[in-house]
Amino acid sequence: MSTETTDSVPAEAGPIARAVADGVLPGRVWMYANYHCNIQCTYCLTESGPKVTQRALSPETMLAVGEQARALGFTDLGVTGGETFLMPHMPDTLAALSANLPVVALTNGTLFSRRLLGKVEHLADCDVALQISLDRPDADVNDEMRAPDNFRKVTQAIPDLVERGITVRIATTVESIEDNELDRLCALHRDLGVPDSEHIIRPIVRRGRADTEELGVEAAASDLPSELTITDDGAFWGPFGPTVKDGVLDTDLLVTRTTLPLETPATALLGLIEGRPQGADSTLNIR
Amino acid sequence: MTTIARVELDQVPLLARPYFADGDPGPIVRSLAQVPELLTVALPFIGAALGPSAISFRAKEIVIVRTSALAGCRFCVQTHAVVALEAGLTSDEVAALQSCGPTDAAFHDPRERALLRWIDVVAGGGPVSDEERAAVLRSWSDHEVVELTAVVGATLMLNRYATALALPTAPEAVERLAQEGLL
Ligand code: SF4
């Protein structure tokens, strides 16, 4: 880990900005916009589904997080859920957030009706990327872990979004994938208009519903990205922190209940990272 | 009975983990751990106020048990009655502290009697007269009175916390008090 400071960081920069510039603290701040979802994936970290409570961040809170993140020296924002586009304010909130910092928003890609496509069109002019989950190149295998008709909806939404000039990233979450299957998946995303640089593959993390289903890899805090993650329940060590098991929020990766001012959880998280033993970084490729 | 959740030992938040290094730290820490940033500030203060310091172990436990009794805190009285016995107080002394009534029959040392009058005034609420302040300062130095008063205050905070949240006394403490006839 480097201890040198980066030249581009002004001398008066605070400890968070310096830690981000030095690569000690990850630059992205995540927000859990909500916890409910229109589908119910087998490996969902948050046990999301249509019947769970929203536990939503208000748009005002999200914008305050975005503004304070920039002021503190963070470099990127991430918005996740739940299904983020169940929140009617999401298209406008993403645009407003991107006025502060670049944004990646996670979505299952199943809600992009003509009406919603119209509402997100303006994101093409914003620094916003939509990260859509697509796990398999075959509809039946893909839908088994996610939801009926998921593959069809997603493979329709992606080109619709790309056509409108919106940056789309594809996230593939799998226990394992054969080379041949991966080749076909990559051919598919290229066909849909998403380049290789916008495709990420990550393991299932054994937390939340994945733990109930005994899926994925066991991960300790040191295995998980330490990106500051803000939820309605508090601030967590990374977006894999605020998971839900048997309807109860996991607190093992809770950092603080205080979320705003953002400096409070950011400082606490930095303290935890700095207190981590040398060489404790993981190689599990969880992101 | 409705009680407050205490974090499970496999769900301890990151900032709270040092306080769980030796196992179950008890219901105050396990409940406060739900708000880690509060725990990490509150515990050093509570430790400094109630833990070893320039004030003797015995005097501190006199303050804690008496204050808790006056505040009607079952959890703190029971928990600290056991600690008070460990600090060398007799069962009669502990019983007198717990009673909320007169203590002169059990306590003969003039300094301890002055301390007990001070505790009763401070923990009892309301104004504190000049005479009462002067009385305690005849037996205890300024810095000691500062600390003893802060211990009363810290204890009262914990009394209200433990009472409001119905924290359970450890079974071993209840058992020990039963043996001593102090329940
Ligand atoms: S993994 Fe995503 S899409 Fe699937 S249920 Fe959870 S929140 Fe919804």
Side-chain angles (χ1 to χ4, degrees):
Chain A
M1 192 182 290
S2 165
T3 51
E4 287 169 26
T5 53
T6 304
D7 292 344
S8 59
V9 179
E12 69 277 12
I16 303 296
R18 292 213 160 270
V20 169
D22 291 347
V24 175
L25 183 64
R28 177 169 288 145
V29 175
W30 285 97
M31 289 173 251
Y32 267 72
N34 59 312
Y35 272 82
H36 65 313
C37 187
N38 56 315
I39 63 174
Q40 210 163 305
C41 301
T42 320
Y43 55 72
C44 184
L45 294 167
T46 47
E47 287 188 344
S48 293
K51 289 190 183 141
V52 309
T53 46
Q54 293 194 13
R55 287 160 49 221
L57 293 176
S58 69
E60 294 76 26
T61 300
M62 293 180 70
L63 294 180
V65 169
E67 275 164 26
Q68 293 182 25
R70 189 180 68 166
L72 285 170
F74 286 100
T75 55
D76 292 87
L77 299 173
V79 177
T80 186
E83 171 45 39
T84 49
F85 283 97
L86 283 176
M87 305 309 288
H89 65 80
M90 197 49 63
D92 291 340
T93 302
L94 293 178
L97 285 172
S98 72
N100 277 306
L101 290 170
V103 184
V104 60
L106 276 50
T107 167
N108 62 30
T110 61
L111 295 175
F112 290 98
S113 59
R114 191 173 301 219
R115 193 158 157 268
L116 181 57
L117 285 167
K119 289 190 172 173
V120 297
E121 239 165 27
H122 65 299
L123 296 181
D125 302 322
C126 304
D127 202 344
V128 174
L130 299 185
Q131 180 173 312
I132 299 182
S133 304
L134 181 62
D135 296 343
R136 304 284 177 179
D138 302 302
D140 51 347
V141 193
N142 181 81
D143 293 357
E144 202 179 302
M145 301 281 268
R146 295 188 64 80
D149 217 19
N150 179 269
F151 184 88
R152 184 191 65 76
K153 289 178 183 167
V154 167
T155 52
Q156 187 175 314
I158 293 170
D160 284 347
L161 291 162
V162 171
E163 237 170 58
R164 285 165 172 78
I166 295 169
T167 305
V168 175
R169 179 184 294 175
I170 290 181
T172 296
T173 309
V174 282
E175 281 221 286
S176 64
I177 189 162
E178 299 287 329
D179 286 351
N180 162 280
E181 206 183 2
L182 181 59
D183 289 346
R184 288 191 295 115
L185 182 62
C186 290
L188 173 64
H189 76 64
R190 286 177 210 126
D191 269 2
L192 296 172
V194 177
D196 290 358
S197 57
E198 298 290 355
H199 181 208
I200 63 166
I201 303 168
R202 56 191 187 171
I204 296 173
V205 175
R206 187 170 290 205
R207 290 175 67 87
R209 201 178 280 138
D211 189 20
T212 309
E213 300 287 335
E214 297 184 6
L215 293 168
V217 292
E218 306 259 8
S222 54
D223 298 317
L224 298 169
S226 52
E227 293 158 321
L228 179 60
T229 298
I230 302 301
T231 76
D232 191 43
D233 298 298
F236 287 79
W237 173 291
F240 296 88
T243 47
V244 177
K245 175 91 189 290
D246 299 330
V248 180
L249 175 78
D250 290 321
T251 55
D252 57 331
L253 297 177
L254 174 68
V255 176
T256 58
R257 294 287 182 179
T258 306
T259 51
L260 291 173
L262 197 65
E263 191 173 7
T264 299
T267 304
L269 178 64
L270 180 57
L272 286 165
I273 291 172
E274 286 174 335
R276 191 164 59 170
Q278 286 277 331
D281 297 356
S282 173
T283 52
L284 288 180
N285 191 32
I286 297 168
R287 51 199 174 142
Chain B
M1 187 174 24
T2 308
T3 55
I4 204 77
R6 284 160 269 146
V7 297
E8 296 299 333
L9 299 181
D10 64 349
Q11 288 292 321
V12 179
L14 296 158
L15 289 169
R17 288 188 191 173
Y19 301 97
F20 288 71
D22 298 326
D24 187 345
I28 290 182
V29 176
R30 282 182 65 182
S31 53
L32 268 176
Q34 292 191 67
V35 189
E37 67 271 41
L38 191 54
L39 178 84
T40 53
V41 177
L43 280 197
F45 168 69
I46 293 168
L50 306 191
S53 72
I55 302 291
S56 73
F57 187 15
R58 178 181 163 89
K60 274 212 175 155
E61 291 308 317
I62 289 173
V63 176
I64 297 167
V65 176
R66 182 66 172 183
T67 302
S68 302
L70 293 168
C73 180
R74 183 244 334 125
F75 173 84
C76 292
V77 168
Q78 291 182 340
T79 305
H80 276 275
V82 173
V83 184
L85 293 170
E86 283 164 16
L89 277 85
T90 64
S91 294
D92 284 350
E93 286 170 335
V94 173
L97 295 175
Q98 286 182 342
S99 72
C100 295
T103 49
D104 280 2
F107 290 85
H108 305 289
D109 176 61
R111 276 188 105 215
E112 289 186 350
R113 285 185 170 182
L115 172 60
L116 281 158
R117 275 189 288 281
W118 182 243
I119 299 165
D120 287 3
V121 165
V122 178
V128 175
S129 73
D130 208 42
E131 280 156 36
E132 288 161 334
R133 213 165 12 257
V136 73
L137 283 165
R138 277 196 291 278
S139 297
W140 298 81
S141 66
D142 284 58
H143 76 84
E144 288 173 323
V145 172
V146 165
E147 191 171 346
L148 291 164
T149 308
V151 176
V152 174
T155 303
L156 285 171
M157 177 189 77
L158 289 171
N159 292 155
R160 297 310 299 150
Y161 181 83
T163 299
L165 304 183
L167 299 185
T169 314
E172 315 82 70
V174 175
E175 200 179 309
R176 173 82 197 276
L177 296 177
Q179 283 166 6
E180 299 283 343
L182 286 169
L183 269 187

